[in-house]
Amino acid sequence: GESVGLHLPTLSVQEGDNSIINCAYSNSASDYFIWYKQESGKGPQFIIDIRSNMDKRQGQRVTVLLNKTVKHLSLQIAATQPGDSAVYFCAACLFGNEKLTFGTGTRLTIIP
Amino acid sequence: DTAVSQTPKYLVTQMGNDKSIKCEQNLGHDTMYWYKQDSKKFLKIMFSYNNKELIINETVPNRFSPKSPDKAHLNLHINSLELGDSAVYFCASSQSGDRGFYEQYFGPGTRLTVT
């Protein structure tokens, strides 16, 4: 099976700074990874995904990096804003298999 | 224009009761899911249906029974509720394709409190 863990349960970042949230997974066969953002009282919201044939993917203010050698991925958020405060989850699965395994989440707090 | 909706948003009930949570998606997706999120925010999949057929059935007590009347709906019925069932339950949907299953879209959640 797969287990996914985030390195830090909480992270505080000054507004305007960049933040990096790290995640490790256990199953080297996992080949599809997703980052979700969950704001208080809401459901998880898709941010960005990456397949194992890539090591980097960029979105709007977000970048996901994948290191398959050490089974690690990270989410970088540029120029953080107060609206970025939320719990961030990484999730992994075998591509084509609908069963996502979620990590434990990192609570990101943006300090004004 | 809600994509994935759930009812009710809050549900408070006593131990031993039977309750249902409903989920609907208007995204045209063919796969729907139920997740349970505990007090530590840990999200765990419970069930998944693809085109009304059960494709994931995790180790969940058989007091939990999902029902999918059509591709757009997936309901969760819980019998004989226990204190440990208290959690937030999320419904999600995704679209399968020749590239596999795409990202899952989540509903707003149903907070179940069993007293």
Side-chain angles (χ1 to χ4, degrees):
Chain A
E2 172 67 275
S3 68
V4 180
L6 278 87
H7 291 183
L8 288 175
T10 61
L11 178 65
S12 295
V13 174
Q14 205 75 36
E15 182 179 350
D17 286 353
N18 299 335
S19 67
I20 300 176
I21 301 171
N22 296 301
C23 178
Y25 60 97
S26 65
N27 188 348
S28 56
S30 292
D31 58 2
Y32 182 57
F33 306 89
I34 306 182
W35 281 99
Y36 281 91
K37 172 186 179 183
Q38 186 176 19
E39 296 175 271
S40 182
K42 296 184 179 179
Q45 178 187 1
F46 172 85
I47 302 174
I48 192 168
D49 60 357
I50 189 168
R51 286 201 61 189
S52 59
N53 58 356
M54 304 172 71
D55 52 21
K56 181 179 180 179
R57 192 159 188 228
Q58 288 184 291
Q60 189 176 14
R61 285 200 305 117
V62 294
T63 301
V64 56
L65 298 177
L66 175 62
N67 185 330
K68 295 180 286 295
T69 304
V70 294
K71 292 183 281 191
H72 176 275
L73 69 158
S74 64
L75 177 71
Q76 300 177 2
I77 305 174
T80 52
Q81 303 167 357
D84 295 329
S85 291
V87 178
Y88 289 81
F89 295 94
C90 65
C93 71
L94 293 170
F95 193 69
N97 181 329
E98 62 290 336
K99 184 181 169 184
L100 276 177
T101 299
F102 279 80
T104 48
T106 291
R107 181 175 296 278
L108 175 66
T109 301
I110 307 303
I111 305 166
Chain B
D1 58 347
T2 306
V4 183
S5 59
Q6 296 177 227
T7 54
K9 187 163 174 62
Y10 300 98
L11 184 53
V12 180
T13 188
Q14 291 186 326
M15 280 197 320
N17 284 349
D18 303 338
K19 290 292 178 186
S20 291
I21 307 172
K22 296 188 175 182
C23 178
E24 177 181 1
Q25 55 94 4
N26 63 6
L27 297 166
H29 289 167
D30 61 1
T31 307
M32 296 184 72
Y33 311 78
W34 278 111
Y35 285 85
K36 179 180 180 180
Q37 187 172 49
D38 63 23
S39 58
K40 297 183 178 177
K41 293 285 193 182
F42 185 62
L43 259 172
K44 193 167 190 321
I45 192 165
M46 300 172 68
F47 302 104
S48 175
Y49 272 75
N50 175 256
N51 285 315
K52 300 195 298 174
E53 282 194 36
L54 183 65
I55 53 173
I56 293 177
N57 187 355
E58 289 295 285
T59 308
V60 176
N62 57 15
R63 298 181 294 103
F64 290 78
S65 52
K67 281 195 172 52
S68 182
D70 55 56
K71 284 196 312 184
H73 296 85
L74 180 62
N75 303 323
L76 183 64
H77 188 76
I78 315 169
N79 288 328
S80 304
L81 279 155
E82 300 177 357
L83 292 176
D85 298 332
S86 295
V88 181
Y89 292 84
F90 287 100
C91 176
S93 72
S94 69
Q95 179 60 40
S96 63
D98 55 3
R99 295 198 299 122
F101 292 83
Y102 299 94
E103 64 268 19
Q104 296 178 18
Y105 291 81
F106 283 77
T110 295
R111 182 175 292 277
L112 171 64
T113 303
V114 182
T115 61

